[in-house]
mmCIF file of all heavy atoms in Angstrom:
data_model
loop_
_atom_site.group_PDB
_atom_site.id
_atom_site.type_symbol
_atom_site.label_atom_id
_atom_site.label_comp_id
_atom_site.label_asym_id
_atom_site.label_seq_id
_atom_site.Cartn_x
_atom_site.Cartn_y
_atom_site.Cartn_z
ATOM 1 N N VAL B 6 -139.283 51.393 107.292
ATOM 2 C CA VAL B 6 -138.926 52.709 107.820
ATOM 3 C C VAL B 6 -137.914 53.305 106.846
ATOM 4 O O VAL B 6 -136.879 52.692 106.572
ATOM 5 C CB VAL B 6 -138.295 52.610 109.225
ATOM 6 C CG1 VAL B 6 -137.824 53.982 109.699
ATOM 7 C CG2 VAL B 6 -139.280 52.010 110.215
ATOM 8 N N VAL B 7 -138.234 54.470 106.305
ATOM 9 C CA VAL B 7 -137.319 55.140 105.377
ATOM 10 C C VAL B 7 -136.915 56.473 106.000
ATOM 11 O O VAL B 7 -137.771 57.333 106.251
ATOM 12 C CB VAL B 7 -137.980 55.375 104.001
ATOM 13 C CG1 VAL B 7 -136.976 56.013 103.042
ATOM 14 C CG2 VAL B 7 -138.531 54.077 103.430
ATOM 15 N N THR B 8 -135.624 56.637 106.266
ATOM 16 C CA THR B 8 -135.181 57.905 106.849
ATOM 17 C C THR B 8 -134.954 58.927 105.745
ATOM 18 O O THR B 8 -134.589 58.589 104.619
ATOM 19 C CB THR B 8 -133.890 57.734 107.681
ATOM 20 O OG1 THR B 8 -132.803 57.408 106.810
ATOM 21 C CG2 THR B 8 -134.048 56.649 108.738
ATOM 22 N N GLY B 9 -135.206 60.176 106.085
ATOM 23 C CA GLY B 9 -135.045 61.245 105.099
ATOM 24 C C GLY B 9 -135.951 61.051 103.904
ATOM 25 O O GLY B 9 -135.534 61.184 102.755
ATOM 26 N N ALA B 10 -137.229 60.751 104.187
ATOM 27 C CA ALA B 10 -138.129 60.323 103.105
ATOM 28 C C ALA B 10 -139.047 61.421 102.608
ATOM 29 O O ALA B 10 -139.951 61.151 101.825
ATOM 30 C CB ALA B 10 -138.964 59.122 103.569
ATOM 31 N N SER B 11 -138.811 62.665 103.027
ATOM 32 C CA SER B 11 -139.743 63.710 102.601
ATOM 33 C C SER B 11 -139.481 64.174 101.174
ATOM 34 O O SER B 11 -140.360 64.725 100.533
ATOM 35 C CB SER B 11 -139.675 64.901 103.569
ATOM 36 O OG SER B 11 -138.384 65.474 103.560
ATOM 37 N N ARG B 12 -138.283 63.940 100.680
ATOM 38 C CA ARG B 12 -138.006 64.389 99.307
ATOM 39 C C ARG B 12 -136.879 63.564 98.688
ATOM 40 O O ARG B 12 -136.268 62.726 99.358
ATOM 41 C CB ARG B 12 -137.672 65.881 99.274
ATOM 42 C CG ARG B 12 -136.527 66.287 100.173
ATOM 43 C CD ARG B 12 -136.627 67.755 100.567
ATOM 44 N NE ARG B 12 -135.533 68.096 101.481
ATOM 45 C CZ ARG B 12 -134.536 68.925 101.175
ATOM 46 N NH1 ARG B 12 -134.462 69.475 99.992
ATOM 47 N NH2 ARG B 12 -133.587 69.187 102.046
ATOM 48 N N GLY B 13 -136.637 63.844 97.415
ATOM 49 C CA GLY B 13 -135.509 63.236 96.709
ATOM 50 C C GLY B 13 -135.584 61.722 96.633
ATOM 51 O O GLY B 13 -136.647 61.142 96.431
ATOM 52 N N ILE B 14 -134.422 61.095 96.816
ATOM 53 C CA ILE B 14 -134.325 59.646 96.693
ATOM 54 C C ILE B 14 -135.165 58.948 97.773
ATOM 55 O O ILE B 14 -135.842 57.960 97.496
ATOM 56 C CB ILE B 14 -132.837 59.218 96.778
ATOM 57 C CG1 ILE B 14 -132.088 59.699 95.523
ATOM 58 C CG2 ILE B 14 -132.719 57.700 96.910
ATOM 59 C CD1 ILE B 14 -130.569 59.487 95.575
ATOM 60 N N GLY B 15 -135.144 59.483 98.987
ATOM 61 C CA GLY B 15 -135.913 58.869 100.077
ATOM 62 C C GLY B 15 -137.402 58.825 99.787
ATOM 63 O O GLY B 15 -138.077 57.828 100.051
ATOM 64 N N ARG B 16 -137.901 59.925 99.222
ATOM 65 C CA ARG B 16 -139.316 59.992 98.855
ATOM 66 C C ARG B 16 -139.657 58.918 97.810
ATOM 67 O O ARG B 16 -140.655 58.207 97.930
ATOM 68 C CB ARG B 16 -139.611 61.386 98.296
ATOM 69 C CG ARG B 16 -141.000 61.566 97.749
ATOM 70 C CD ARG B 16 -141.184 63.009 97.214
ATOM 71 N NE ARG B 16 -142.495 63.173 96.637
ATOM 72 C CZ ARG B 16 -142.811 62.778 95.408
ATOM 73 N NH1 ARG B 16 -141.896 62.234 94.633
ATOM 74 N NH2 ARG B 16 -144.031 62.933 94.955
ATOM 75 N N ALA B 17 -138.800 58.814 96.796
ATOM 76 C CA ALA B 17 -139.034 57.829 95.738
ATOM 77 C C ALA B 17 -139.000 56.407 96.305
ATOM 78 O O ALA B 17 -139.791 55.544 95.893
ATOM 79 C CB ALA B 17 -137.983 57.986 94.631
ATOM 80 N N ILE B 18 -138.107 56.174 97.248
ATOM 81 C CA ILE B 18 -138.008 54.840 97.865
ATOM 82 C C ILE B 18 -139.280 54.541 98.665
ATOM 83 O O ILE B 18 -139.850 53.442 98.570
ATOM 84 C CB ILE B 18 -136.762 54.752 98.773
ATOM 85 C CG1 ILE B 18 -135.486 54.768 97.925
ATOM 86 C CG2 ILE B 18 -136.809 53.484 99.640
ATOM 87 C CD1 ILE B 18 -134.196 54.962 98.737
ATOM 88 N N ALA B 19 -139.729 55.526 99.456
ATOM 89 C CA ALA B 19 -140.944 55.331 100.255
ATOM 90 C C ALA B 19 -142.129 54.987 99.357
ATOM 91 O O ALA B 19 -142.902 54.059 99.646
ATOM 92 C CB ALA B 19 -141.231 56.592 101.075
ATOM 93 N N LEU B 20 -142.261 55.713 98.250
ATOM 94 C CA LEU B 20 -143.392 55.477 97.346
ATOM 95 C C LEU B 20 -143.277 54.107 96.667
ATOM 96 O O LEU B 20 -144.267 53.386 96.533
ATOM 97 C CB LEU B 20 -143.466 56.581 96.288
ATOM 98 C CG LEU B 20 -143.854 57.970 96.826
ATOM 99 C CD1 LEU B 20 -143.721 59.032 95.734
ATOM 100 C CD2 LEU B 20 -145.278 57.960 97.380
ATOM 101 N N LYS B 21 -142.065 53.746 96.264
ATOM 102 C CA LYS B 21 -141.876 52.461 95.578
ATOM 103 C C LYS B 21 -142.167 51.286 96.525
ATOM 104 O O LYS B 21 -142.809 50.300 96.142
ATOM 105 C CB LYS B 21 -140.443 52.378 95.036
ATOM 106 C CG LYS B 21 -140.065 51.041 94.416
ATOM 107 C CD LYS B 21 -140.881 50.733 93.166
ATOM 108 C CE LYS B 21 -140.470 49.377 92.592
ATOM 109 N NZ LYS B 21 -141.432 48.921 91.570
ATOM 110 N N LEU B 22 -141.688 51.374 97.755
ATOM 111 C CA LEU B 22 -141.944 50.296 98.710
ATOM 112 C C LEU B 22 -143.444 50.179 98.987
ATOM 113 O O LEU B 22 -143.970 49.072 99.146
ATOM 114 C CB LEU B 22 -141.162 50.524 100.009
ATOM 115 C CG LEU B 22 -139.635 50.405 99.880
ATOM 116 C CD1 LEU B 22 -138.958 50.778 101.204
ATOM 117 C CD2 LEU B 22 -139.213 48.993 99.463
#
Side-chain angles (χ1 to χ4, degrees):
Chain B
V6 175
V7 183
T8 68
S11 62
R12 56 205 178 113
I14 291 173
R16 174 180 178 279
I18 290 169
L20 292 173
K21 174 65 180 168
L22 292 175

